[in-house]
Amino acid sequence: MHVSALNIFPLKSARGIALNEAAIDGWGLADDRRWMITDPSGGFITQRELPALARIEVSPHAEGLRLAMDGKSDLDVAFPNGDGRLEVEIWKSPVSAALADDAAHTVLSDWLQREVRLVHFDADARRMASTDWAGPDTPVAFADGYQVLVTTTGSLGALNADMAKNGEAPVGMDRFRANVVLEHDQPWAEDGWASIEIGGVTLHLVKPCARCIMTTQDQLTGSREGASPMPAMGRIRMSADRRVPGPLFGWNAVPVGSGRLSIGQQVRVVEQRPAWDIKRR
């Protein structure tokens, strides 16, 4: 088993960036989900309610990031100095985030046709993952809940096989916005992994990822008119454990240690556990 893909999403819910290698530490992959779009009151905004975010291309650089959207002039945003702050909320988790400059808010509001703010998770921002699943002192930025999302090619193959059997078009792994994709033949093997090790870094797989409408959206256009994996996940991946209801694909992971991950790196299962309970048809 080896790493087949690495992805970061510097701006939450915008387009991802595929990498050949990435630094990792207790926060997850470097530059992943460190920026976020909010409404003026600080409520976080994602593709769930604003599919057009999928059209924003992001390029991080030493001074901040560059944003691009089809038909628009590029927008360069500098790292804010932190003097201006906004109390934002992401899944009921409050965070004091640094506000980008007013020009960035104006341009993005024009692009997205609604009033928005752009915020950065700077050195003064604080947020912790759920202690119920991740344990104590596990810092996380603007990801939905955990530092790293892990998926496998075998599981995507099984999902697409079910879709083909039911006359549905296949979907790519980009629909699931994973940070680390593992090349592994056995579908759903990850349901029984408690921990894996990659390049000296341990990843504890702490909670399966319940999926939402974002998996139905084309990750370049935001369109929901194409193939959808939701019916297939409903057929073969419905959780039977009420702690995490709904269709499942991939696992949320908490990294321990720091290092670099790269395509082709070997992956070792460190600890196993009883597989997550899935409803049977």
Side-chain angles (χ1 to χ4, degrees):
M1 179 168 59
H2 66 269
V3 176
S4 66
L6 294 168
N7 304 286
I8 59 171
F9 305 86
L11 174 60
K12 183 177 180 65
S13 250
R15 288 183 186 174
I17 301 172
L19 302 174
N20 289 322
E21 62 176 12
I24 186 172
D25 60 16
W27 289 88
L29 299 190
D31 295 324
D32 186 54
R33 296 174 173 94
R34 300 306 200 267
W35 298 79
M36 185 169 70
I37 301 287
T38 76
D39 62 31
S41 66
F44 79 112
I45 299 173
T46 72
Q47 286 185 39
R48 297 172 184 88
E49 64 268 28
L50 193 57
L53 285 172
R55 296 164 50 205
I56 297 181
E57 184 178 348
V58 185
S59 303
H61 54 74
E63 286 76 40
L65 77 170
R66 176 170 296 164
L67 304 177
M69 194 174 188
D70 47 298
K72 311 289 185 181
S73 298
D74 290 1
L75 171 64
D76 274 302
V77 183
F79 287 118
N81 61 22
D83 290 344
R85 308 195 71 80
L86 182 65
E87 191 77 9
V88 305
E89 185 172 287
I90 173 170
W91 297 119
K92 299 182 179 180
S93 178
V95 179
S96 175
L99 272 166
D101 59 62
D102 289 343
H105 307 324
T106 299
V107 171
L108 287 168
S109 296
D110 176 67
W111 286 7
L112 298 170
Q113 295 297 292
R114 59 178 288 185
E115 190 176 359
V116 299
R117 300 289 185 269
L118 175 65
V119 297
H120 178 241
F121 197 101
D122 66 355
D124 293 327
R126 298 286 183 272
R127 183 176 177 228
M128 293 290 171
S130 168
T131 56
D132 291 343
W133 295 94
D137 302 322
T138 53
V140 63
F142 288 140
D144 271 359
Y146 301 89
Q147 295 83 347
V148 177
L149 181 63
V150 177
T151 62
T152 72
T153 57
S155 296
L156 180 64
L159 188 67
N160 278 328
D162 182 85
M163 294 174 72
K165 185 172 67 174
N166 286 275
E168 300 160 1
V171 296
M173 191 67 86
D174 64 329
R175 293 292 187 91
F176 301 98
R177 297 175 69 85
N179 295 116
V180 180
V181 181
L182 306 180
E183 183 72 31
H184 189 65
D185 291 338
Q186 183 182 347
W188 322 121
E190 62 272 27
D191 284 352
W193 300 340
S195 301
I196 59 176
E197 183 269 326
I198 311 174
V201 176
T202 298
L203 292 170
H204 296 305
L205 278 63
V206 297
K207 186 181 182 183
C209 186
R211 310 313 303 216
C212 69
I213 196 172
M214 279 181 62
T215 63
T216 71
Q217 296 172 195
D218 185 293
Q219 287 301 300
L220 292 178
T221 67
S223 171
R224 296 174 182 168
E225 295 180 356
S228 169
M230 291 296 278
M233 288 191 289
R235 289 188 292 265
I236 65 174
R237 288 297 294 170
M238 288 298 292
S239 175
D241 189 324
R242 286 183 291 180
R243 293 177 300 166
V244 187
L248 307 178
F249 190 94
W251 275 78
N252 294 293
V254 174
V256 177
S258 62
R260 295 195 71 83
L261 307 186
S262 59
I263 302 298
Q265 250 177 342
Q266 294 300 301
V267 180
R268 181 172 66 94
V269 177
V270 175
E271 183 182 356
Q272 295 188 324
R273 62 162 157 244
W276 191 268
D277 197 9
I278 300 295
K279 291 180 181 179
R280 306 302 171 189
R281 287 182 291 178

